[in-house]
Amino acid sequence: MTSSTLLAAPQRTRGSLAWLWPIGGLALLLATLSQLVGPLVIPVGFAAITILPMVWGILAGGIVSSQKIRPLPRSFQSAAGALMGVSVLILVGSLAFTIGPNIPLLFRAGPALLLQEAGHLLGTLILALPLAVLLKMGPATIGATFSIDREGSFAMVSEKYGTDSHPYRGVLSMYVFGTIFGAVFISLLASVTASLGLFDPLALAMGAGVGSGSMMAAGAASVAAQFPELKDQIFAVAGTSNIITSLLGVYVGIWIALPLADKIYNSLIRRFPHLATASDAVPAAGAATAAGAATAAAAATAAGATTTTAAAAVPAASAASTAELESAAAESAAAEDASDAATGNRGPVRVPLYIAMPVLTVIGIFIASIAAGGFSWNILGGYLIIDALLLAGLGLSRLCRGKVPSMVFIITLGALASSPVSPFAKALITMVTSVNFLSICTVVLTVAGLSLGKDIPLLRRIGWRIVPVGLVAIASSYLFSVVIAQFTLGLGAH
């Protein structure tokens, strides 16, 4: 969803108001239940799998949107998808205020800490992306492998391709996989790597800063367990590395990693057309059925010209892949037609920003209050500040006619406003940080879950493939960063 779409009141909202309140109420109910259930810790040897409320949220939303007893109308699911575009920007706004106070770290960090960031970029693109192409994951490969897909990745992909695109389904799948299994896997990986005796403990610590707090803590703890005499240094370096990854990750992701992933994916599909999926081929081939053509056109519109470039280069996919897409497309189109027939509406559901923002703000304040153990005026103030930042970012992006993504403005303005040079930094940080970050994630993923039912036929295409691709993405990001840090530690003081 682009910033111009969000700011402009749509010409045809298909009664979005009528659908928005029920879907908003449902999102509030499911997010509340998920937050009340709380985290579940499952011990796995010396590590543990933690299922956070956000995971309960997407599971609950997915079950509600896909169950057949009383099907959730497709119009409701589309309204949830429209809300998703706004909710990820609220998430980005919250992230911006954690970046500003840490800007001085960029100037104090040595060359090794700065250069190892390249490992997080190169690893997933060099190893995970080709593996996903080999496994025929389709255009979802782009979203799943341009990074290890933490919170900011949602906004990057949804703004560039839309929330009804294959890359978006890829980033969502990778995010859920990393949330559930990422910390456990990187803990095991760091432990094994440290035991080899090949790398400096501080290089291992730098590699743990992949941009995820839980993964960083798990990786650093495994390294510190084998080098207890350096425990304080290891956690300090890992924490600094993680902050730098978060600081640079947004700009690297938007202008380097995501475009590069798109280009590499398209190049591989052109070079090896037998690895193309029907998702690549049918739009170019014109689609054999009306349902296939409609689905292809919608995907092309959401994903943009970059995805269809690969499609145009592939003359045709295998008969089996084409049949698979036609089946999924027909199933998806049938659900849409049935919903439209029941409601008498046609065309995409669009939710104006002036409606979506208040709805999400009310839900967010309620869930943040549960997470904090009670309502606080700081929570209300924090959300109002985030909303103001979001409006400013969207407005500036619109002035640039969308040439600069709104999330770049949101991150930059928020970071500057909360940086040490800002006279308002202390007050802003106090209010915004009173909003529990994970509570925002719970709202985002609950809304995402409520939009998933219509995508189940296409999500099956990813299926088990996200497991090997996710493991390779996390491992390559960590190991490439460790190797680069090892070779560059000599350039700066430990």
Side-chain angles (χ1 to χ4, degrees):
M1 181 177 292
T2 63
S3 55
S4 57
T5 301
L6 285 170
L7 278 176
Q11 296 178 347
R12 189 177 188 183
T13 62
R14 291 180 57 195
S16 58
L17 277 173
W19 294 324
L20 187 59
W21 304 120
I23 205 68
L26 193 54
L28 175 60
L29 174 63
L30 295 180
T32 298
L33 293 175
S34 300
Q35 195 67 47
L36 290 174
V37 170
L40 173 65
V41 180
I42 304 173
V44 181
F46 63 87
I49 295 176
T50 302
I51 302 179
L52 297 169
M54 69 178 82
V55 178
W56 299 130
I58 193 171
L59 289 177
I63 291 171
V64 169
S65 63
S66 61
Q67 50 81 29
K68 304 299 182 183
I69 299 174
R70 190 172 181 179
L72 191 69
R74 187 181 177 90
S75 55
F76 279 42
Q77 298 179 44
S78 296
L83 284 177
M84 182 65 185
V86 184
S87 66
V88 293
L89 292 181
I90 292 176
L91 183 68
V92 168
S94 176
L95 278 173
F97 287 95
T98 66
I99 291 175
N102 296 297
I103 288 178
L105 282 175
L106 282 177
F107 300 98
R108 295 200 301 266
L113 275 167
L114 295 175
L115 293 176
Q116 58 86 32
E117 173 64 24
H120 300 308
L121 166 65
L122 297 175
T124 56
L125 294 179
I126 292 176
L127 296 181
L129 193 152
L131 175 62
V133 172
L134 186 64
L135 295 177
K136 296 187 176 182
M137 187 182 283
T141 295
I142 298 170
T145 61
F146 83 98
S147 73
I148 63 167
D149 291 342
R150 303 325 297 154
E151 289 76 12
S153 303
F154 271 112
M156 298 179 207
V157 174
S158 63
E159 186 160 16
K160 183 176 178 64
Y161 297 100
T163 56
D164 195 28
S165 64
H166 290 293
Y168 173 77
R169 297 180 189 106
V171 74
L172 181 61
S173 300
M174 181 61 187
Y175 181 84
V176 174
F177 175 83
T179 298
I180 298 175
F181 301 107
V184 173
F185 178 64
I186 204 168
S187 174
L188 296 172
L189 180 64
S191 180
V192 171
T193 308
S195 67
L196 297 177
L198 299 176
F199 301 103
D200 189 303
L202 298 186
L204 295 169
M206 291 180 197
V210 295
S212 164
S214 60
M215 292 190 202
M216 181 275 294
S222 294
V223 176
Q226 299 204 32
F227 301 95
E229 70 281 4
L230 297 174
K231 179 180 178 180
D232 292 339
Q233 290 174 274
I234 287 171
F235 277 104
V237 169
T240 303
S241 173
N242 201 60
I243 291 171
I244 291 174
T245 301
S246 299
L247 279 167
L248 300 179
V250 174
Y251 302 101
V252 170
I254 290 175
W255 281 311
I256 300 177
L258 191 54
L260 195 55
D262 193 299
K263 182 174 290 187
I264 294 174
Y265 174 77
N266 292 335
S267 298
L268 289 175
I269 292 302
R270 285 195 295 268
R271 178 66 179 82
F272 305 103
H274 63 285
L275 295 178
T277 67
S279 301
D280 298 297
V282 170
T289 65
T295 303
T301 301
T306 51
T307 301
T308 56
T309 301
V314 185
S318 65
S321 296
T322 303
E324 180 183 357
L325 179 66
E326 288 178 0
S327 175
E331 185 177 344
S332 180
E336 182 174 14
D337 290 342
S339 175
D340 285 335
T343 59
N345 292 298
R346 296 283 176 181
V349 171
R350 295 176 182 175
V351 180
L353 182 64
Y354 63 82
I355 297 174
M357 186 180 292
V359 170
L360 290 168
T361 298
V362 170
I363 296 173
I365 290 173
F366 195 86
I367 302 305
S369 297
I370 295 175
F375 174 77
S376 166
W377 289 107
N378 279 344
I379 294 177
L380 175 61
Y383 258 100
L384 292 178
I385 291 170
I386 293 172
D387 287 347
L389 178 63
L390 190 152
L391 289 172
L394 289 170
L396 289 172
S397 180
R398 191 181 186 188
L399 288 176
C400 296
R401 298 182 180 180
K403 293 181 180 179
V404 179
S406 59
M407 74 168 294
V408 172
F409 286 115
I410 292 171
I411 285 287
T412 303
L413 291 175
L416 290 176
S418 58
S419 68
V421 299
S422 170
F424 313 106
K426 186 175 181 179
L428 292 175
I429 293 171
T430 298
M431 284 191 281
V432 173
T433 54
S434 67
V435 178
N436 183 280
F437 180 74
L438 292 181
S439 73
I440 303 178
C441 295
T442 300
V443 175
V444 172
L445 289 191
T446 300
V447 172
L450 288 171
S451 69
L452 285 183
K454 59 184 174 54
D455 297 326
I456 293 299
L458 297 171
L459 285 172
R460 291 195 193 109
R461 176 68 201 165
I462 299 176
W464 59 269
R465 295 172 177 84
I466 196 61
V467 176
V469 170
L471 293 176
V472 170
I474 295 172
S476 57
S477 178
Y478 176 74
L479 293 175
F480 271 68
S481 179
V482 168
V483 170
I484 292 175
Q486 179 73 18
F487 282 101
T488 56
L489 269 175
L491 298 178
H494 286 193

